[in-house]
Amino acid sequence: MSLKHSFPPIFDPDARILVLGSLPGDRSLAAQRYYAHPQNQFWQLMTPVVGRDLVALDYGDRLTALRTSKVALWDVIGSARRAGSSDSAIVEVEGNDIVTFITRLSKLRAVAFNGGTALKQGMKLLGPNFAGPTVVALPSSSPLHTIGLAAKQPAWNQLAAFLLDQP
């Protein structure tokens, strides 16, 4: 089992939402791009949240669209050993310092976990007394989570409310 590492975070300091995945899969690692597997639904799920067709954009423009929409992106796992891409095969986890990262984002309103592994690992890192932004548990965008896009979309759509201007 090879040691795999996450990517650097994608963010602007005024981000209102931080979406945290677990650890990039093999396709993403090979391409050096978040959510590069063609069957991963992340970009489709985020399209209505940010109000822009992210699927139609090239990768660099997708990242720019997220940042300008005040969405940050990272992973909870900094490194781990894993055969293949399944989260169930992850062992020897070293977490990213998401607590410090969250404190750097002063306008953050929500920390959203993309899937059960991200939520489980992320909550360990945040600790039981986390009193920061709202925590949102999302169904995984992974093709291995087979409930379908239509079943996942309502949970992801709730993120849009955190982007609205508030008095």
Side-chain angles (χ1 to χ4, degrees):
M1 259 186 292
S2 61
L3 185 64
K4 299 176 182 182
H5 299 274
S6 67
F7 304 132
I10 304 299
F11 71 102
D12 278 347
D14 63 345
R16 294 181 182 177
I17 298 171
L18 171 59
V19 179
L20 293 164
S22 55
L23 181 70
D26 287 348
R27 287 288 253 316
S28 293
L29 291 169
Q32 287 295 292
R33 295 179 176 193
Y34 279 102
Y35 304 105
H37 192 291
Q39 292 177 334
N40 191 293
Q41 298 166 327
F42 176 81
W43 301 109
Q44 291 167 283
L45 291 163
M46 285 300 293
T47 286
V49 174
V50 301
R52 187 157 178 207
D53 185 359
L54 298 173
V55 177
L57 302 175
D58 69 28
Y59 182 70
D61 290 338
R62 288 176 180 180
L63 298 182
T64 298
L66 287 181
R67 287 193 311 270
T68 59
S69 297
K70 302 184 184 326
V71 176
L73 187 59
W74 204 20
D75 289 304
V76 295
I77 299 172
S79 68
R81 294 196 182 280
R82 179 182 61 202
S85 295
S86 175
D87 281 359
S88 64
I90 293 173
V91 296
E92 298 178 29
V93 172
E94 292 291 331
N96 278 320
D97 188 358
I98 61 173
V99 172
T100 299
F101 186 65
I102 288 169
T103 64
R104 292 174 51 200
L105 302 175
S106 64
K107 296 183 179 182
L108 199 64
R109 295 179 182 164
V111 178
F113 293 101
N114 182 357
T117 299
L119 177 65
K120 181 181 172 187
Q121 294 293 328
M123 292 310 293
K124 282 183 192 177
L125 295 170
L126 293 178
N129 299 318
F130 178 70
T134 301
V135 171
V136 180
L138 299 169
S140 176
S141 65
S142 168
L144 298 176
H145 188 58
T146 59
I147 65 169
L149 183 68
K152 296 175 187 181
Q153 195 67 64
W156 283 76
N157 285 349
Q158 68 183 317
L159 295 178
F162 295 100
L163 298 175
L164 299 175
D165 289 327
Q166 298 175 347

